[in-house]
């Protein structure tokens, strides 16, 4: 009897990139998802071409601060409808230059083009709690399943909370470009939070204040690198989840992969040029007492093209703020849908629930 021996043992989780480039024809069992999860996992390029059925809305922000109150209000109402109905949207005319966005993408791409041993110099150590840096997912659910992706994770704003020592040194403009993007994105987050507040009948600065304001709202960037996969119909780049953030902003390299669970079906997001995808996260869903939605989503992979996305999670501080539905949005007919929790308690609650779900499957 011949027993197969693993070719090498590493102290870190094997990088998905090295698995993908090793020439394997079938993926290791820990990457194979359950039958239930694989419902409607099809060819993502075919899925993206579909014109029938619901489509993720595109919101034009050009007039969000228009001098004309009627024009401004129309723009806000469109944003409100997308946040209420979908909780995700393509933002166009968002005010961040395409030139800067291309530079951000190029810098991240250059880092991931480095040999794996170079990237390992920036490896995180999740077990010891050092979560910033280069990594791959460790199994954090009872089923022990893994996702078909590697990533680079780091806090990019406020600037005084960054740890630049773990940021990529190659390419040389990485820090400059990413810092500029973080500042622009922070401005955009304020603009969005302001409009979302007004649409709930609150003061303009209310939601921003509730998530920590300029000093405390953290912007965490995760560059997701999804290598090509020999059996994309069995794997997921990212399993189904909702974001815990207040808002999430996503760029990608125009390779489809994002799917949203809308009205009981998985809908594949189109690749919209010069857009930023924005998710409403759990934090805003809680504060708005469920008026704004945090939508379940996942990432598919494919055989032909590497997919890269740049997700920036705008998160409140872990302990300082109690997240609960705002009193103005609660009444006898609309009781609070969520119990009071800190952001950290909300995270732990989700993790615990996921573990329980894994054990019961």
């Amino acid at each position: 009897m011949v027993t197969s021996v693993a070719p090498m043992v590493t102290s870190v989780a094997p990088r998905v990139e090295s698995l993908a480039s090793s020439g394997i024809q079938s993926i290791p069992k820990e990457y194979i998802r359950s039958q239930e999860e694989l419902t409607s996992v099809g060819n993502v390029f075919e899925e993206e071409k579909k014109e029938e059925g619901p489509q993720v809305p595109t919101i034009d922000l050009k007039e969000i601060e228009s001098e004309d109150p009627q024009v401004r209000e129309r723009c806000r109402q469109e944003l409100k409808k997308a946040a209420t109905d979908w909780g995700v949207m393509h933002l166009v005319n968002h005010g961040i230059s395409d030139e800067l966005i291309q530079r951000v993408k190029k810098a991240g791409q250059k880092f991931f083009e480095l040999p794996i041993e170079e990237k390992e110099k920036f490896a995180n150590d999740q077990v010891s709690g050092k979560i910033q840096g280069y990594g791959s997912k460790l199994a954090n659910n009872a089923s022990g399943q893994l996702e078909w992706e590697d990533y680079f994770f780091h806090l990019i704003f406020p600037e005084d909370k960054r740890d630049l020592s773990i940021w990529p040194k190659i390419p040389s403009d990485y820090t400059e470009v990413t810092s500029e993007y973080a500042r622009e994105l922070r401005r955009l987050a304020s603009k969005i939070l302001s409009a979302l507040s007004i649409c709930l009948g609150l003061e303009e600065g209310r939601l921003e204040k509730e998530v920590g304001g300029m000093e405390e709202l953290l912007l965490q960037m995760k560059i997701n690198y999804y290598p090509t996969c020999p059996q994309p119909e069995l794997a997921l780049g990212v399993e189904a989840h909702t974001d815990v953030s207040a808002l999430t902003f996503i760029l990608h390299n125009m390779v489809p992969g994002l799917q949203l669970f809308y009205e009981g079906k998985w809908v594949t997001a189109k690749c919209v040029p010069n857009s930023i995808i924005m998710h409403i996260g759990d934090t805003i869903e809680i504060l708005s007492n469920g008026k704004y939605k945090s939508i379940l989503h996942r990432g598919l992979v494919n055989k032909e093209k590497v997919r890269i996305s740049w997700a920036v999670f705008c998160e409140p501080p872990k302990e300082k703020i109690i997240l609960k539905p705002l009193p103005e949005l609660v009444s006898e007919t609309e009781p609070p849908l969520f119990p009071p929790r800190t952001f950290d308690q909300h995270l732990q609650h989700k993790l615990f629930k996921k573990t329980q779900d894994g054990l019961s499957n």
Side-chain angles (χ1 to χ4, degrees):
M1 189 181 82
V2 179
T3 53
S4 60
V5 179
M8 62 174 194
V9 177
T10 54
S11 58
V12 291
R15 302 305 174 200
V16 177
E17 183 189 352
S18 57
L19 272 178
S21 58
S22 69
I24 55 168
Q25 297 304 300
S26 53
I27 61 175
K29 66 175 189 326
E30 54 270 32
Y31 291 94
I32 298 175
R33 312 304 301 198
S34 68
Q35 255 336 100
E36 189 189 13
E37 284 182 285
L38 294 174
T39 318
S40 70
V41 169
N43 179 313
V44 73
F45 299 107
E46 298 301 319
E47 293 287 334
E48 196 218 1
K49 288 192 191 105
K50 287 182 181 169
E51 292 300 335
E52 72 277 5
Q55 302 290 341
V56 176
T58 297
I59 302 300
D60 189 337
L61 291 181
K62 192 167 174 228
E63 308 294 357
I64 195 94
E65 294 179 317
S66 164
E67 295 297 309
D68 181 329
Q70 277 180 308
V71 173
R72 192 170 63 229
E73 186 53 27
R74 198 178 315 128
C75 182
R76 282 184 191 148
Q77 287 306 317
E78 283 178 18
L79 177 70
K80 179 188 181 179
K81 186 178 186 313
T84 306
D85 188 22
W86 278 83
V88 65
M89 61 207 78
H90 301 283
L91 301 178
V92 295
N93 291 315
H94 40 67
I96 301 180
S97 80
D98 194 43
E99 186 259 346
L100 175 59
I101 285 174
Q102 293 311 322
R103 284 165 64 211
V104 169
K105 290 184 185 181
K106 201 172 167 191
Q109 217 159 335
K110 280 258 187 325
F111 172 75
F112 273 97
E113 281 166 5
L114 293 171
I116 289 180
E117 55 271 22
E118 278 300 308
K119 295 194 283 266
E120 288 294 357
K121 293 175 184 172
F122 298 91
N124 63 15
D125 181 7
Q126 295 165 69
V127 178
S128 71
K130 181 179 169 261
I131 57 168
Q132 293 197 73
Y134 173 61
S136 308
K137 169 133 182 226
L138 298 179
N140 68 347
N141 55 13
S143 59
Q145 285 172 309
L146 296 171
E147 297 167 325
W148 196 261
E149 71 149 345
D150 300 323
Y151 62 80
F152 191 92
F153 181 76
H154 53 333
L155 184 148
I156 60 170
F157 197 90
E159 295 188 347
D160 61 345
K161 290 185 167 72
R162 302 176 305 178
D163 177 3
L164 293 178
S165 70
I166 60 109
W167 286 34
K169 307 294 177 277
I170 298 172
S172 57
D173 65 346
Y174 184 92
T175 297
E176 179 199 334
V177 169
T178 306
S179 301
E180 190 182 337
Y181 180 60
R183 287 190 291 272
E184 292 286 328
L185 213 45
R186 186 62 186 85
R187 273 196 282 276
L188 178 59
S190 285
K191 213 184 281 188
I192 298 282
L193 289 168
S194 164
L196 290 174
S197 288
I198 292 165
C199 290
L200 288 171
L202 303 166
E203 282 174 30
E204 191 174 353
R206 185 66 189 281
L207 285 176
E208 168 117 15
K209 179 173 158 279
E210 293 291 340
V211 296
M214 201 48 94
E215 289 73 41
E216 298 287 351
L217 185 68
L218 306 175
L219 271 58
Q220 317 255 23
M221 181 188 270
K222 185 172 176 236
I223 308 175
N224 300 297
Y225 183 86
Y226 306 100
T228 53
C229 179
Q231 294 178 297
E233 70 287 355
L234 297 180
L236 285 174
V238 172
E239 63 193 10
H241 66 286
T242 60
D243 288 355
V244 292
S245 59
L247 301 171
T248 305
F249 295 96
I250 303 170
L251 303 174
H252 54 80
N253 65 338
M254 295 301 281
V255 174
L258 174 66
Q259 285 195 321
L260 301 308
F261 196 64
Y262 182 75
E263 295 185 341
K265 289 197 173 72
W266 286 106
V267 176
T268 303
K270 300 258 184 282
C271 292
V272 177
N274 306 328
S275 69
I276 297 176
I277 295 169
M278 186 186 82
H279 284 275
I280 301 289
D282 297 350
T283 297
I284 294 293
E285 182 177 65
I286 292 166
L287 291 169
S288 72
N289 202 27
K291 289 183 171 58
Y292 296 141
K293 303 284 183 297
S294 180
I295 195 169
L296 192 69
H297 56 285
R298 67 183 183 185
L300 301 193
V301 288
N302 72 81
K303 264 183 184 174
E304 293 103 73
K305 292 180 178 175
V306 168
R307 180 168 184 261
I308 308 176
S309 69
W310 289 256
V312 176
F313 306 97
C314 304
E315 298 181 351
K318 281 194 160 163
E319 303 289 356
K320 282 188 182 175
I321 291 168
I322 300 290
L323 291 178
K324 62 176 197 288
L326 296 174
E328 300 93 317
L329 306 176
V330 172
S331 65
E332 274 184 37
T333 53
E334 293 184 312
L337 300 174
F338 307 92
R341 288 190 181 112
T342 63
F343 183 66
D344 195 46
Q345 284 167 339
H346 177 64
L347 272 174
Q348 298 312 320
H349 167 73
K350 282 188 88 163
L351 217 55
F352 175 73
K353 193 171 175 306
K354 195 169 157 188
T355 308
Q356 295 304 303
D357 291 350
L359 289 167
S360 61
N361 283 342

